[in-house]
Amino acid sequence: MPRDPKSSKEKSMNIPQRLLTLTACIPLSTGAAHAQSRLDSGHADVGIAYEDGLFNLHVHDETNDIEYSPPSGENGALLVVGASAQGVVPSDTAFAFLGDSGAPVWILPKNQNPDLLFLGIGAEELEAGTFVGNSIRLNLRGVQGPGTLAVYDLDAFGIPTVAMSSRDGISTKDWVEVLAGSHSHLNWAFSAPGRYTVAFTASGQLADSGQFVESPSAAYSFEVIPEPSSIALLSLGCLGIGLRRRNPFSRTITHS
Amino acid sequence: MKQLLITGLSLAMAQLIGLADDGFTVLRHEHADLRVLYNPGLAPSLSILARDEDRGINYATNQVILVGKESSKLTLPSGTPFGNGGSPFWILPQSQNPKLLYLGVSAEGLSPADFEGVIKLRLRRLEGPGYMMVWQATGPGQFNIRINTRDGIDASDVFSTITGSHEHFNWGFSAPGLYRMTLQAEAPSKSPAAMLTSPESTFLFQILPLPPPVSFEEWQLAHWPPGFDAAVTGGEADADHDLFTNLQEYAFGFSPSNKDPGEPIPELEVDPAAEGHPVTLRYRRNVTARDLRYVLQASTSPTGPWTFLGGDESTEDVGLPGMEMVTLQDLDALGAQARFYRLEILPRP
């Protein structure tokens, strides 16, 4: 079931940084997502369909032509942001929406890199004429994880346009337009390694009735992989936490 | 009695053929990909097609025209590798703009079961009035340039993709006009383990506004894809069944896809009351056509002999790029019992 996006968002924003490190450790040690299919390369889309009067949000593995619906969960997909996605926030102020200049950032780029997942937003299953202007929106409804998510575009000269960002909170301004029958690629930027659950809805205005329709939230799972050196530090951090679980303070950490 | 003859490069009657827009499509604002396809069989091969992703239709190179509309024209900022700041540049953008062609490169027609490794589309040639650059922006002032004909064409001018995927790019052109882009695909086949190579495929871009054509070949490419049915595009064909051959349409600035009014060419004005020169002739002339010359002739018999009709001609603008109206008076018409005129359009050596 999709998580409550609002509570997830508020929770993630209030977690102290040292506890986020633990959050990142948990999936690595528990293997909670073993049944999920890890998509760490190739081409995949956040897929949007509209069938029998209902939206369907899913993951479409375009490389192997496999559809994951629901997109996450036991039989869903885990969208992996590989370690080589790590870079730093540019000094150009136009990129301040990603964080402080020089801060680490993990980006699945809109330009295909064979070493990384090439993640798009696809509405190829939507029939032309169903929605006004053949236009629908993918709306960001929640981000739960150790950091923030920004989805942005670059124009022909490299100037960014932010479509979605959880850094400044999530509002009705966080959406991406997708045209029926088409798909688009954008940059997916995460501010910290670890596991994320991102909730989306799809919405649009039906052409025949003029009715505005929006889907329930659908949860997508991401895993942002730190660089190997970071993994080593993380392991040490996990060990430290394990030792500290013997004292009362560790329970507080575990609870988070 | 006055009679008019129109003479093209040949007097052969044009054969009636199909409509000009039958059999090809013009992509202006669709999502389209240049797609590599695998043709398995005893002699496995590759081919490159243009696919209209909105409609799921594939087009061969002689069935499609790719258009960069006038609204794709931008002004280059300073400090880019695409040209001088302030210069115009026509860009089909990597990010979809519903009003412009959204053009990608696709290997979705290739399965990882058949191929492994990188699929490549190499640029072999570009013929056009300017240069072409194809790139992706990775940050402010940071570009991953795939094609750059500004510095010539070599092995670095290549698209690389993987099976089952596709990518979009910014396609930039430095001048409006007709561009013929020739690509060749190569893909590493698993079984047999071999590098398959496609034939060369030439796609036509029309970057608008098109300047007036300087040759019949250019005029053809302004209306049909390269290699389109010669029975439609040939000089003697009459694509729109208006009794003007394609060469005549080219010479007079008409369209081969719309029936043009069957006004006599040249136009005649006869004013018996005029002193001295009662006959005035007018005809449209394509001044940019480097491969044509117009010869107005007169005779006392429809079977000739024909003589060159000289005299002072005047010209005026007709509001069509590259076209002018020529006006000439027949100095010998007065007193003639019969006078015949013809306009001969000849190839310029």
Side-chain angles (χ1 to χ4, degrees), chain A residues 110-111 118 153 156 182-183, chain B residues 94-96 135 137 165-167:
Chain A
K110 72 174 288 181
N111 303 324
F118 185 39
D153 199 2
S182 190
H183 80 287
Chain B
Q94 178 185 3
S95 299
Q96 187 165 20
W135 75 94
S165 189
H166 84 285
E167 286 186 273

Side-chain angles (χ1 to χ4, degrees), chain B residues 211-215 250 285-292 294 321-323:
Chain B
V214 299
S215 68
Y250 164 54
R285 183 164 63 190
N286 184 341
V287 290
T288 60
R290 296 175 187 156
D291 53 355
L292 295 180
Y294 299 70
M323 302 304 297

